[in-house]
């Protein structure tokens, strides 16, 4: 009896734990597939009977509980997420051999198996090899306003080839030109002579208008570039915008005509001084057929669908550039630069440079653009399913980990960077597997990731229609009976027509409560919940559903949680009644390591800037804030002088995203620019300017030569030292002489004093005896 009580108490305790804290039993799922979608820890028991010793638990449960309840391992469905690297060639150091021998990304193929709401992490390594082949295609606006630019390019062709030849030993160059569509109102059509000579109205001669023509396909004979450019003449169109996007699209998709190599870095330089037509502008001329993104360059190398297809959209250009691994460089004049800066934000891998009035700076512009492209590694993702969420962390130079980004800048040829990628499955796609691509922008190399979605159970492959276990009135699927229409019960033993009034009490939570909450029928003592077009209705009394929850942005629980019995059960990192408030703070973490740069508060995963003048995703932009100079000073020390606290902590690229530009002196740019001054560790005064351009890029203009204290003049120092020694010597000599004189005088005075105290007369010295002696002769009596 006591043993039996212990078993009952253990069963009650287990049921309490299961129902109170077990996520697997909280959703009331009925199939194996639904069970696997709840949580990665949930498992399903496909055994027909899960009872043991009178204890019954939910088939969808924690694996450990199912095992304890008597479900053997062979009946437990619990797939595990995994990752396998299928191809992992080492990175190359230099572009040698065939294209198949050059590897700039590692690994090359990965196979993932993911359960719903589970994730796996892998690392992608990227290195740009030295001396990589370059294809440079120069696409020029030949409208009349570009006459002086064409003249300059005729003289700079060889210099451009020479300059690019310094970056690679394998250079191919080509040339293309464009004006606009050959239809009114884009061209001059009256008088008839104006068609052949659009410059008739300004009394000069120019070539007929054309849409786009490929003048010179990419060739290793770069001298031909100059030859072909010298042959070109400008044309003239009627309206201000040009048809440049038509030309860009054809230059990108006509790979065979242009001659793009698969094993080269592709650079498309687009030069103009005007705005450009975009999609739907063709309707002005009656063109209603949209651009289909195909190649239509004929044998004469002209775009022959110019008058039949509309201009392409920016989105189409972005897709085609990415698909063909082409880096687009907008070389445009200052008056249209804001427009092309906006375009560059919509087209990944695009750079914008300011072209001088006559294009004389085009060589330096192209070199700078190419250097900028080669100094950056940015990953792009192609073909990823909506149900798969990817998050990135970049490990850039010096091992610095930059969370939440998939690009590294400031690289040199040969530098290796890595990206940690986490793939998390948020739902179950219709397909069983899917392959997507991760590749650096502008690279042909890529990582192919194949994902198997572990959403279905293996036991589903052995379903039994009209199973005896289901009274031959249903299908046995993973241990559960799926009853035929009109049949009910755990073993499909009841029919909908069967009704016993005494069984109605078990279909209501209370005497006055409606049967099955008014959302079902009581059949065989069980509630048969009505189906709903809005979602699922379940529960013992049909009291639960998954559609009566707060919606946000048209989605239940904002798409960040599950609706369970009228309440949102939020996914991890989300909170609020509708799960619309993110609890994560990584999106608010600024590069300097402070939430919202210390200028605001992180509210629902986004920064609310409180510092006047601060803006940006993390309140990082604030040229007028008093701490701007202090923060940027450390960046100047770190990135330019390779010293300071950020350099010692290897946090340069993490905190400092600014571009450093050396200048001879600071000039006025805009009111938003801030001039800063500080004294460095060498007591030199450093001057720099913090400026954000119209694209939002932060630039630090640093004066090349700091103001340092001038060093001493050696001759002056030597003369000063010698003079000081001489003066000190003379002073010492005079002091010595003075001391000697004083000493002598004191000795003489002492002598005089002692002599004055003597007791004998000065005139008669008793010790003195004369030199002569007188003797008296006593016998001598004298003369008498």
């Amino acid at each position: 009896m006591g043993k039996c009580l212990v078993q009952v108490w253990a069963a009650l305790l287990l049921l309490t734990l299961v129902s109170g804290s077990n996520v697997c039993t909280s959703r009331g799922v009925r199939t194996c597939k639904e069970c696997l979608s709840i949580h990665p820890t949930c498992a399903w028991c496909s055994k027909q009977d899960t009872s043991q010793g009178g204890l019954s638990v939910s088939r969808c449960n924690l694996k450990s509980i199912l095992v304890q309840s008597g479900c053997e391992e062979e009946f437990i469905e619990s797939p595990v997420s995994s990752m396998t690297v299928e191809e992992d060639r080492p990175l190359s150091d230099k572009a040698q051999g065939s294209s198949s021998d050059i590897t700039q990304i590692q690994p090359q193929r990965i196979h993932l198996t993911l359960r719903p709401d589970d994730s796996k992490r892998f690392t992608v390594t990227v290195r740009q090899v030295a001396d990589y082949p370059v294809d440079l295609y120069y696409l020029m606006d030949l409208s009349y306003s570009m006459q002086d630019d064409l003249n300059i390019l005729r003289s700079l062709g060889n210099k451009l080839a020479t300059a690019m030849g310094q970056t690679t030993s394998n250079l191919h160059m080509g040339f293309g030109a464009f004006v606009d569509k050959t239809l009114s109102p884009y061209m001059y059509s009256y008088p008839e002579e104006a068609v052949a000579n659009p410059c008739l109205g300004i009394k000069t001669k120019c070539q007929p208008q054309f849409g786009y023509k490929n003048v010179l396909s990419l060739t290793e004979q770069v001298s031909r570039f100059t030859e072909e450019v010298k042959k070109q003449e400008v044309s003239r169109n009627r309206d201000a915008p040009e048809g440049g996007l038509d030309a860009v699209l054809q230059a990108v998709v006509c790979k065979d005509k242009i001659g793009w190599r698969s094993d080269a870095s592709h650079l498309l330089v687009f030069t103009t001084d005007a705005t450009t037509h975009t999609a739907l502008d063709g309707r002005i001329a009656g063109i209603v057929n949209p651009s289909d993104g195909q190649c239509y360059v004929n044998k004469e190398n002209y775009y022959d669908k110019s008058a039949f297809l509309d201009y392409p959209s920016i989105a189409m250009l972005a897709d085609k550039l990415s698909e063909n691994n082409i880096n687009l460089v907008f070389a445009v004049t200052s008056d249209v630069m804001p427009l092309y800066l906006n375009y560059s934000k919509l087209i990944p891998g695009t750079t914008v440079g300011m072209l001088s009035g006559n294009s004389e700076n085009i060589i330096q512009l192209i070199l700078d653009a190419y250097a900028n492209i080669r100094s950056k590694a940015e990953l792009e993702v192609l073909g990823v399913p909506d149900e798969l969420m990817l998050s990135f962390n970049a490990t850039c130079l010096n091992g610095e980990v930059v969370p939440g980004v998939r690009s590294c800048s400031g690289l040199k040829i040969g530098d290796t960077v890595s990206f940690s990628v986490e793939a998390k499955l948020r739902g179950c796609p219709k397909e069983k597997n899917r392959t997507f691509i991760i590749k650096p922008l502008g690279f042909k190399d890529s990582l192919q990731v194949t994902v198997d979605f572990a959403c279905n159970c293996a036991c589903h492959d052995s379903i039994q229609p009209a199973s005896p276990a289901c009274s031959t009135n249903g299908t046995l699927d993973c241990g559960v009976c799926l009853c035929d229409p009109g049949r009910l019960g755990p073993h499909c033993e009841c029919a909908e027509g069967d009704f016993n009034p005494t069984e109605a009490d078990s279909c209501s939570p209370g005497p006055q409560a409606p049967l099955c909450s008014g959302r079902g029928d009581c059949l065989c003592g069980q509630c048969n919940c009505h189906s709903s077009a809005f979602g699922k209705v379940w529960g013992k009394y049909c009291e639960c559903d998954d559609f009566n929850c707060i919606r946000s942005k048209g989605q239940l629980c904002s798409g960040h949680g599950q609706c369970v019995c009228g309440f949102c059960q939020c996914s991890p990192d989300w909170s609020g009644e509708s799960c619309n408030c993110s609890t994560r703070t990584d999106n608010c973490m600024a590069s300097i390591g402070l939430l919202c740069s210390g200028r605001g508060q992180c509210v629902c995963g986004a920064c609310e800037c409180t510092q006047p003048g601060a803006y940006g995703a993390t309140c990082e932009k604030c040229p007028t804030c008093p701490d701007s100079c202090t923060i940027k000073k450390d960046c100047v020390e770190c990135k330019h002088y390779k010293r300071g606290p950020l350099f010692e902590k290897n946090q340069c690229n993490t905190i400092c995203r600014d571009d450093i530009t050396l200048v001879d002196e600071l000039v006025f740019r805009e009111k938003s620019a801030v001039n800063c001054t500080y004294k460095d560790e060498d007591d030199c005064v450093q001057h720099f300017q913090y400026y954000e351009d119209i694209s939002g890029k932060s630039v630090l203009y640093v004066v090349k030569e700091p103001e340092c204290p001038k060093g001493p003049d050696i001759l002056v120092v030597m003369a000063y030292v010698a003079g000081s020694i001489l003066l000190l010597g003379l002073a010492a000599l005079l002091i010595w002489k003075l001391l000697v004189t004083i000493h002598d005088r004191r000795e003489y005075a002492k002598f005089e004093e002692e002599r004055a105290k003597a007791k004998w007369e000065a005139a008669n010295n008793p010790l003195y005896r004369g030199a002569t002696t007188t003797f008296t002769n006593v016998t001598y009596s004298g003369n008498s």
Side-chain angles (χ1 to χ4, degrees):
M1 180 68 179
K3 183 178 180 182
C4 183
L5 289 174
V6 170
Q7 290 178 344
V8 172
W9 179 84
L12 292 174
L13 178 62
L14 182 59
L15 286 171
T16 301
L17 291 174
V18 169
S19 61
S21 59
N22 191 343
V23 66
C24 304
T25 61
S26 64
R27 304 288 173 86
V29 298
R30 300 181 60 185
T31 65
C32 183
K33 182 176 181 179
E34 292 175 348
C35 177
L36 298 185
S37 66
I38 294 176
H39 194 269
T41 59
C42 295
W44 177 269
C45 181
S46 61
K47 189 177 180 181
Q48 292 187 34
D49 185 13
T50 58
S51 299
Q52 183 181 15
L55 175 62
S56 178
V57 297
S58 172
R59 291 182 180 274
C60 183
N61 223 313
L62 298 176
K63 183 176 180 180
S64 58
I65 295 177
L66 293 177
V67 173
Q68 294 173 12
S69 301
C71 187
E72 292 80 4
E73 288 280 350
E74 60 265 26
F75 295 109
I76 295 178
E77 296 285 343
S78 181
V80 179
S81 298
S82 62
M83 182 191 72
T84 304
V85 178
E86 296 182 339
E87 187 175 357
D88 191 25
R89 299 191 310 272
L91 296 172
S92 304
D93 295 319
K94 191 174 181 181
Q96 294 179 339
S98 63
S99 60
S100 60
D101 298 330
I102 302 173
T103 304
Q104 299 185 97
I105 186 171
Q106 184 185 18
Q108 294 78 42
R109 283 197 300 135
I110 287 179
H111 192 280
L112 299 177
T113 299
L114 290 178
R115 279 190 57 167
D117 205 32
D118 203 3
S119 64
K120 277 295 178 181
R121 186 175 291 275
F122 55 91
T123 300
V124 181
T125 307
V126 177
R127 178 193 296 161
Q128 296 201 49
V129 301
D131 197 27
Y132 198 66
V134 176
D135 287 346
L136 171 63
Y137 191 76
Y138 195 99
L139 186 58
M140 185 175 184
D141 176 6
L142 283 189
S143 60
Y144 194 77
S145 59
M146 296 288 286
Q147 176 71 62
D148 54 346
D149 303 78
L150 180 60
N151 294 334
I152 290 292
L153 186 61
R154 288 167 178 163
S155 62
L156 294 180
N158 290 330
K159 294 181 180 178
L160 175 59
T162 302
M164 285 300 299
Q166 295 176 357
T167 64
T168 177
S169 61
N170 192 347
L171 174 67
H172 284 196
M173 292 182 65
F175 183 79
F178 66 91
V179 183
D180 206 345
K181 291 186 179 298
T182 54
L183 288 174
S184 179
Y186 310 120
M187 67 176 293
Y188 289 97
S189 57
Y190 184 83
E192 293 183 2
E193 293 81 3
V195 175
N197 179 19
C199 298
L200 183 66
I202 55 176
K203 299 180 180 179
T204 186
K205 177 75 174 174
C206 60
Q207 69 168 320
Q209 183 175 323
F210 57 92
Y212 160 73
K213 67 176 177 180
N214 174 35
V215 178
L216 175 66
S217 298
L218 292 165
T219 175
E220 60 183 354
Q221 300 175 359
V222 293
S223 59
R224 289 192 56 196
F225 181 87
T226 302
E227 296 174 5
E228 294 298 330
V229 170
K230 289 181 178 179
K231 300 176 183 177
Q232 301 308 305
E233 298 292 339
V234 295
S235 183
R236 185 172 178 235
N237 60 321
R238 190 170 187 176
D239 63 340
E242 319 292 5
L245 297 192
D246 265 345
V248 171
L249 179 64
Q250 293 303 305
V252 169
V253 299
C254 296
K255 295 184 289 185
D256 296 335
K257 292 283 187 179
I258 304 301
W260 297 111
R261 294 176 290 175
S262 61
D263 58 344
S265 180
H266 303 151
L267 204 61
L268 176 58
V269 181
F270 177 91
T271 61
T272 186
D273 61 352
T275 60
T276 182
H277 287 292
T278 58
L280 300 182
D281 284 358
R283 294 189 177 186
I284 302 174
I287 301 176
V288 296
N289 295 320
S291 176
D292 57 7
Q294 301 300 315
C295 175
Y296 293 107
V297 174
N298 57 26
K299 295 180 179 180
E300 288 74 29
N301 284 323
Y302 282 93
Y303 174 39
D304 60 6
K305 294 288 184 179
S306 177
F308 300 97
L309 294 178
D310 196 5
Y311 301 97
S313 65
I314 298 297
M316 177 180 287
L317 279 185
D319 289 342
K320 294 301 181 181
L321 286 166
S322 174
E323 179 183 327
N324 293 280
N325 305 318
I326 296 177
N327 294 290
L328 179 60
V329 179
F330 287 126
V332 297
T333 52
S334 58
D335 52 335
V336 296
M337 193 169 183
L339 172 66
Y340 289 94
L341 281 171
N342 290 332
Y343 287 164
S344 69
K345 295 176 182 178
L346 302 174
I347 307 175
T350 300
T351 58
V352 183
M354 185 178 295
L355 193 66
S356 62
N358 56 3
S359 299
E360 61 184 358
N361 67 331
I362 187 61
I363 294 180
Q364 190 60 45
L365 190 153
I366 294 175
L367 291 176
D368 292 344
Y370 183 68
N372 181 52
I373 292 169
R374 294 283 280 173
S375 68
K376 186 176 183 180
E378 181 177 0
L379 297 183
E380 65 172 340
V381 182
L382 305 175
V384 63
D386 294 336
E387 295 83 0
L388 194 64
M389 181 178 67
L390 300 180
S391 59
F392 295 81
N393 290 329
T395 303
C396 299
L397 299 178
N398 302 321
E400 302 175 33
V401 178
V402 187
V405 301
R406 50 184 177 183
S407 65
C408 288
S409 58
L411 307 179
K412 299 187 294 294
I413 300 300
D415 286 343
T416 303
V417 295
S418 62
F419 302 90
S420 176
V421 186
E422 182 184 27
K424 183 175 183 180
L425 186 61
R426 297 184 296 182
C428 290
K430 295 180 180 179
E431 309 94 337
K432 291 185 177 181
N433 55 65
R434 186 79 173 267
T435 299
F436 65 92
I437 300 296
I438 297 178
K439 61 185 290 293
L441 277 172
F443 284 41
K444 74 172 182 67
D445 305 68
S446 64
L447 166 62
Q448 179 179 294
V449 183
T450 301
V451 185
D452 287 340
F453 306 118
C455 296
N456 294 315
C457 301
C459 59
H460 182 71
D461 296 334
S462 57
I463 60 174
Q464 300 177 18
S467 172
C470 302
S471 307
T472 67
N473 295 317
T475 300
L476 184 63
D477 185 0
C478 294
V480 176
C481 286
L482 303 179
C483 300
D484 296 336
R487 303 300 297 185
L488 299 170
H491 302 288
C492 306
E493 70 274 16
C494 295
E496 290 184 358
D498 299 338
F499 178 72
N500 188 345
T502 59
E503 298 175 346
D505 294 340
S506 61
C507 295
S508 176
Q512 304 299 325
L515 292 177
C516 301
S517 305
R519 301 197 293 181
D521 299 321
C522 184
L523 302 174
C524 301
Q526 296 178 340
C527 283
N528 180 29
C529 302
H530 296 159
S531 61
S532 173
F534 299 104
K536 179 182 175 182
V537 179
W538 78 92
K540 183 177 180 180
Y541 308 112
C542 300
E543 73 278 10
C544 293
D545 62 57
D546 61 358
F547 51 84
N548 278 319
C549 289
I550 300 176
R551 293 177 179 265
S552 179
K553 297 181 180 178
Q555 290 183 305
L556 278 171
C557 304
S558 306
H560 302 132
Q562 296 289 335
C563 181
V564 180
C565 287
F567 296 95
C568 287
Q569 291 186 356
C570 299
S571 302
D573 303 326
W574 292 93
S575 64
E577 289 186 353
S578 61
C579 303
N580 63 339
C581 184
S582 174
T583 59
R584 297 182 62 173
T585 59
D586 52 348
N587 291 333
C588 297
M589 188 65 68
S591 59
I592 60 175
L594 296 176
L595 282 176
C596 301
S597 306
R599 300 168 181 153
Q601 299 177 341
C602 187
V603 180
C604 292
C607 283
E608 292 184 356
C609 303
T610 57
Q611 175 79 35
Y615 65 101
T618 58
C619 307
E620 75 281 5
K621 299 177 181 179
C622 187
T624 58
C625 289
D627 60 344
S628 296
C629 287
T630 303
I631 295 174
K632 298 304 179 184
K633 175 200 76 172
D634 294 336
C635 292
V636 172
E637 287 287 292
C638 184
K639 297 193 74 172
H640 181 53
Y641 292 106
K642 309 299 181 185
R643 63 191 182 192
L646 297 182
F647 185 77
E648 295 171 357
K649 297 177 182 178
N650 291 330
Q651 294 180 338
C652 247
N653 290 327
T654 304
I655 295 179
C656 304
R657 307 289 179 83
D658 318 88
D659 289 342
I660 300 289
T661 302
L662 298 180
V663 296
D664 294 322
E665 60 179 356
L666 300 180
V667 297
F668 175 80
R669 284 178 172 82
E670 288 184 4
K671 293 182 179 179
S672 60
V674 178
N675 291 338
C676 303
T677 302
Y678 71 95
K679 183 176 287 188
D680 63 16
E681 59 187 22
D682 299 325
D683 287 334
C684 295
V685 178
Q686 302 280 353
H687 300 278
F688 69 93
Q689 185 180 77
Y690 168 37
Y691 170 68
E692 291 182 3
D693 61 20
I694 56 179
S695 66
K697 183 175 68 173
S698 175
V699 183
L700 299 179
Y701 294 96
V702 181
V703 176
K704 294 179 181 178
E705 298 295 334
E707 296 179 3
C708 297
K710 292 184 177 180
D713 191 331
I714 301 300
L715 294 178
V716 174
V717 171
M718 293 181 63
Y720 177 79
V721 172
S724 299
I725 294 174
L726 179 61
L727 290 175
L728 290 174
L730 291 175
L733 186 62
L734 290 174
I735 292 173
W736 175 81
K737 182 62 179 175
L738 178 62
L739 293 175
V740 169
T741 301
I742 293 174
H743 180 268
D744 289 347
R745 287 183 178 180
R746 285 181 178 177
E747 291 294 324
Y748 180 75
K750 184 177 180 181
F751 169 76
E752 289 295 330
E753 182 181 357
E754 291 178 352
R755 191 177 69 169
K757 293 180 179 179
K759 296 182 178 180
W760 57 81
E761 293 182 1
N764 186 14
N765 187 350
L767 299 178
Y768 176 76
R769 290 191 178 187
T772 59
T773 303
T774 303
F775 296 94
T776 302
N777 190 352
V778 294
T779 63
Y780 180 69
S781 58
N783 293 329
S784 58

